[in-house]
Amino acid sequence: MKKKILALTLALALSLSLAACGGKDAPGQDADSGVPEVNAPEDDAPEDDAPEGGGTDAPDASAPENGGTDSTETETSEEINLSAFYNTLREGNIWPELMDLTTDANMKELLDSYYPGLAEIAAKQRRVYIAAISAAVGEIALVEVENAEDVQAVEDIFQARIDYQVGDDATPGGAWYPETIEGWKTKSRIVSHGNYVMLAVGDASASAVEEFEALFA
């Protein structure tokens, strides 16, 4: 009996002691379960702002490809129409009436006689115009060769035409008349640009050369 009274007294003293301390649980212990509290670690890591798909920005669909060019520039080269150029010379310069040796099949024999070898050279365009009267000083030959290495051959054929018309001291030229021969000697011009070659003979040959060069300016 004394032991029970002593136990009750100790229990009462313990209860009073706890009450005096405010009834708080021991630090680090859950009030209900008696299991020590475990504080979750603070998440100081920054938020992941990287986009999905490996963290790389998706390419701009509107950006042009191939080095950032919007379009492919295409250089175009317009072929010079030699017939149209001749018509321009006829309209703007003083030339005698000329015959076309290249558009009429019946003139091929005459073309081969005046310009031997010209028909054998590969050409994209070939136009030869001669004076209808032999005493007139006027002739225009225009060629666009297919191969650049043939330009010199065309120039040589044109020069041979001039030499034949002028002649030499021993043989009169094909132009025959002294004034006509002098015209072929002093008023003949051969000029080339790229694959284009022109022979112009006559009073307006110098201006013809200027207009020819202007085509390529």
Side-chain angles (χ1 to χ4, degrees):
M1 184 68 180
K2 291 180 179 180
K3 291 181 180 179
K4 290 182 179 180
I5 295 172
L6 180 59
L8 291 174
T9 303
L10 290 174
L12 179 60
L14 181 60
S15 298
L16 292 173
S17 176
L18 290 174
C21 294
K24 295 183 179 179
D25 296 329
Q29 183 176 359
D30 183 87
D32 296 330
S33 62
V35 179
E37 295 180 352
V38 178
N39 294 328
E42 294 182 3
D43 188 5
D44 295 330
E47 295 182 2
D48 187 6
D49 294 330
E52 298 179 0
T56 57
D57 294 333
D60 184 1
S62 62
E65 299 179 354
N66 299 328
T69 55
D70 293 333
S71 60
T72 302
E73 294 182 1
T74 305
E75 295 183 1
T76 56
S77 57
E78 185 176 349
E79 186 178 77
I80 294 170
N81 188 313
L82 295 180
S83 294
F85 174 67
Y86 165 73
N87 291 331
T88 300
L89 295 179
R90 286 285 292 123
E91 293 169 1
N93 297 307
I94 301 173
W95 298 93
E97 187 66 29
L98 301 180
M99 297 187 304
D100 186 351
L101 299 186
T102 46
T103 57
D104 188 345
N106 296 325
M107 296 290 185
K108 184 180 184 306
E109 185 175 346
L110 194 57
L111 174 65
D112 292 340
S113 174
Y114 285 1
Y115 292 90
L118 187 62
E120 280 69 49
I121 294 178
K124 293 183 178 180
Q125 299 181 78
R126 185 185 296 108
R127 297 289 182 269
V128 176
Y129 307 89
I130 67 171
I133 302 173
S134 59
V137 179
E139 195 155 313
I140 298 175
L142 299 158
V143 177
E144 179 192 4
V145 297
E146 291 186 359
N147 305 304
E149 57 268 24
D150 289 330
V151 168
Q152 185 60 55
V154 173
E155 291 179 347
D156 292 343
I157 291 172
F158 287 175
Q159 185 60 53
R161 171 64 175 161
I162 296 172
D163 295 342
Y164 171 78
Q165 289 292 84
V166 172
D168 53 32
D169 295 336
T171 307
W176 189 255
Y177 302 101
E179 185 177 348
T180 308
I181 290 174
E182 185 64 20
W184 272 87
K185 184 186 295 185
T186 60
K187 298 174 182 178
S188 298
R189 303 287 186 276
I190 298 174
V191 61
S192 62
H193 200 295
N195 286 12
Y196 295 85
V197 191
M198 178 182 73
L199 165 66
V201 184
D203 293 334
S205 59
S207 62
V209 170
E210 291 179 1
E211 294 189 37
F212 180 81
E213 292 289 355
L215 294 174
F216 308 95

